[in-house]
Amino acid sequence: MKWVCVFLLVFTAAQRVVAEDESALIVSGDRVVLLGGTFVERMQIHGYLEAEIVSRVPGVKLRNLGWSGDNVWGESRAVFGSIDQGFDRLLRDMRTAKPTVIMVCYGANEAHHGVRGIKVFEEGMSELLNALSEFEAKVVLIGARPYERLGSPLPDPAVFNRDLALYTESIKRIASARDITFIDLAIVSPPVQLGILQEREPRNWRVLPHHEGLTDDGLHFTANGYRVLASQIALALKLPARPASISLDDTAHMIGGEVSDYHRNGDEIRFSFRRDQLTLPNTQTERNPEGSDVTVKVHDLRRGKYTFTVDGQHKRTLTSGQLRGGVVVSHKFTEKQIKQLQYLIVEKNMLFFHRHRPQNETYLFLFRKHEQGNNAVEIPQFDPLIESVEKLIDDYADPKTHTIRIQPFNK
């Protein structure tokens, strides 16, 4: 009977883990391709969304196939050719990327055609999704973010946003009919802000003042805009940031990681900890607004002040009451690691950009290839460079071990 109970407990735990893995839209080992227009292409120079994904799910590779001004027909990818050739180019680049997950974000450019263009857009989206079925990849459709109304002298985007909402509903219907996951950026937090700028003198100023919006002109996202949306998109992909907490008394207990080398001599404490997950600052979670923070609670300390040090650098003076109630160890102890991770992601993105969009492709592949086409053999040589940077990305996305020391305060 005892072994039956043990089996049931293990089986239940295993089922719970499987269920959690199945709920996530991206799992370890996936190759995620981002496909879309300007919004997607500009992601690659910031790296926030990719950093959110790889820090939450180890072993994921991402490829950005965004192309400014693009639409579901691949029109911007045509270069000097026809729209059909642009669509073929899209599929050819997709074969280079070898996706297992494809995140598709179209509709913003097409919405400028107004209500009369919806039917044509739906036909184009269906044609695109039919073509993408070649890759047997999981598809996620993303509804475009409405334009922000920043205020005068920029135009009011209300009419466009009404049309965009109709296109977004169209995408939602297509996703439902095909049983595809749909993420609507119009409703994720924070909501689209309106009328952010105030009237200023002189009224003909040409440089927008600082404001609280996510875009610099109502349309194009700032680095902060991408940062804010990244965590929200990650949550919509069901990739939660797990908060962590440590409780210390005679022994050490940690949720969301593990404690090692725990030593306590009276009121002097030293231990190391490693989180299960490297989470980025300002990540929104239900339990912990600062998803990258770790809460440390210390019980049974004598009343007084204590020095609280992380990695021998981040030193704070705290009371026994504060330590007993719980002290938040902010993300600053992982700040350098996170910055390096984002730097490597952007470097990898630039390498892949030159891999699938070489600047001199007219000479390499098109009508002037008779001049320098022999150099086309160098383009696949970007692949090992990309892979080498991705190994570094994997390393920096992996949580590191940190040491905390708590000592009675000596003036």
Side-chain angles (χ1 to χ4, degrees), residues 57-73:
V57 186
V60 176
K61 312 301 180 189
L62 282 89
R63 298 288 183 268
N64 189 309
L65 286 181
W67 199 304
S68 292
D70 198 36
N71 52 34
V72 290
W73 302 281

Side-chain angles (χ1 to χ4, degrees), residues 195-261:
I196 296 168
L197 300 184
Q198 304 296 323
E199 289 289 344
R200 300 197 177 201
E201 296 294 342
R203 295 188 61 176
N204 63 344
W205 44 260
R206 298 174 183 271
V207 178
L208 292 178
H210 175 74
H211 59 84
E212 300 301 321
L214 302 184
T215 66
D216 54 17
D217 55 6
L219 168 60
H220 298 107
F221 280 77
T222 61
N224 182 59
Y226 280 111
R227 179 186 63 82
V228 171
L229 280 188
S231 61
Q232 296 303 310
I233 295 174
L235 284 177
L237 292 168
K238 302 178 182 178
L239 312 176
R242 305 180 190 92
S245 62
I246 301 171
S247 179
L248 306 173
D249 42 42
D250 291 336
T251 59
H253 310 272
M254 183 170 185
I255 298 174
E258 60 181 2
V259 172
S260 59
D261 299 326

Side-chain angles (χ1 to χ4, degrees), residues 88-112:
D88 290 341
R89 168 68 177 274
L90 185 156
L91 296 178
R92 188 167 65 250
D93 289 341
M94 193 67 70
R95 294 184 189 106
T96 298
K98 301 175 183 177
T100 62
V101 178
I102 306 173
M103 297 174 60
V104 182
C105 185
Y106 283 119
N109 289 331
E110 296 88 338
H112 285 283

Side-chain angles (χ1 to χ4, degrees), residues 160-181:
F160 169 79
N161 284 344
R162 285 198 296 269
D163 290 340
L164 179 63
L166 299 176
Y167 279 74
T168 299
E169 282 300 314
S170 176
I171 298 171
K172 186 176 181 180
R173 288 194 299 270
I174 293 172
S176 178
R178 292 175 175 258
D179 194 23
I180 293 174
T181 298

